[in-house]
Amino acid sequence: MAMIVVNGVRREVQAPADTPLLYVLRNDLELSGPQFGCGLAQCGSCSVLLDGKEIRSCVTALSAAVGKEVTTLEGLPGRWAQQKGISQAEAEKTLHPVQQAWIEEQTPLCGFCQNGMMIKATELLERVATPTVAEIKEAFTTSGPSAHLCRCGSYTAIIQAVQRAAMAMGGNR
Ligand code: FES
Ligand code: FES
């Protein structure tokens, strides 16, 4: 048994300690944001934040998350609310600016990769308020164990959505 904190809530999990965190999130905790793509840390579709850093949950053991804060796509609104001092009631009616920007830019095509794209964007924008296009490209290509892959080719829309989210987040600072 392991106790982990996911999206601000303590969760007791019965899975063995070496179970991939992705399986725990999807199968035990019924969080369907993170996707199973390659299972080899090579695509980014399974990404979550672990203490604010993007990790590939397909190759991260449950034991590695004990004592740390896991944030999934579902937890982004609450994360934003906490950072900005917005009430939980208000947070339940809103999205994280990254999610909102993804909608406004109509970024997803099939959508399969977009969980990882939004997680990566959130990590980047928490670190760099107004990233350049080069910094955005670097974040999605060489900053992790592999590039974040989109088989549908939504890369241009992703850059635009990150820029839109950066403006929205900066406007609230
Ligand atoms: S499923 Fe984890 S990186 Fe592809
Ligand atoms: S939107 Fe289809 S894989 Fe990225």
Side-chain angles (χ1 to χ4, degrees):
M1 188 195 79
M3 191 74 78
I4 56 175
V5 177
V6 180
N7 299 334
V9 179
R10 285 166 62 87
R11 306 292 298 263
E12 195 179 288
V13 178
Q14 300 298 333
D18 60 353
T19 306
L21 181 59
L22 176 62
Y23 298 178
V24 172
L25 295 172
R26 288 188 61 89
N27 301 339
D28 297 66
L29 303 183
E30 298 184 345
L31 293 164
S32 58
Q35 303 294 315
F36 185 100
C38 63
L40 298 167
Q42 294 296 302
C43 74
S45 65
C46 65
S47 294
V48 300
L49 296 175
L50 189 64
D51 280 354
K53 181 161 176 32
E54 183 245 330
I55 56 132
R56 308 294 165 93
S57 65
C58 65
V59 295
T60 302
L62 168 62
S63 57
V66 174
K68 297 183 176 166
E69 178 86 27
V70 179
T71 305
T72 70
L73 186 65
E74 293 87 345
L76 290 186
R79 185 178 181 86
W80 177 246
Q82 190 178 34
Q83 289 168 348
K84 305 316 290 181
I86 301 167
S87 72
Q88 269 310 314
E90 198 58 34
E92 284 168 15
K93 293 185 281 180
T94 189
L95 291 173
H96 189 287
V98 165
Q99 295 168 311
Q100 188 63 41
W102 249 246
I103 292 170
E104 289 167 6
E105 290 292 337
Q106 293 285 287
T107 307
L109 295 168
C110 82
F112 196 86
C113 69
Q114 300 293 336
N115 165 74
M117 301 300 186
M118 285 184 273
I119 291 291
K120 191 69 198 179
T122 302
E123 181 204 57
L124 171 64
L125 292 172
E126 287 185 2
R127 192 167 44 83
V128 185
T130 52
T132 62
V133 170
E135 286 171 323
I136 296 170
K137 287 183 179 176
E138 192 271 337
F140 283 90
T141 54
T142 59
S143 72
S146 77
H148 282 254
L149 300 180
C150 175
R151 297 296 293 269
C152 302
S154 65
Y155 300 114
T156 303
I158 288 168
I159 293 170
Q160 289 167 345
V162 171
Q163 291 172 320
R164 181 184 281 266
M167 276 179 17
M169 292 168 77
N172 285 320
R173 278 180 186 150

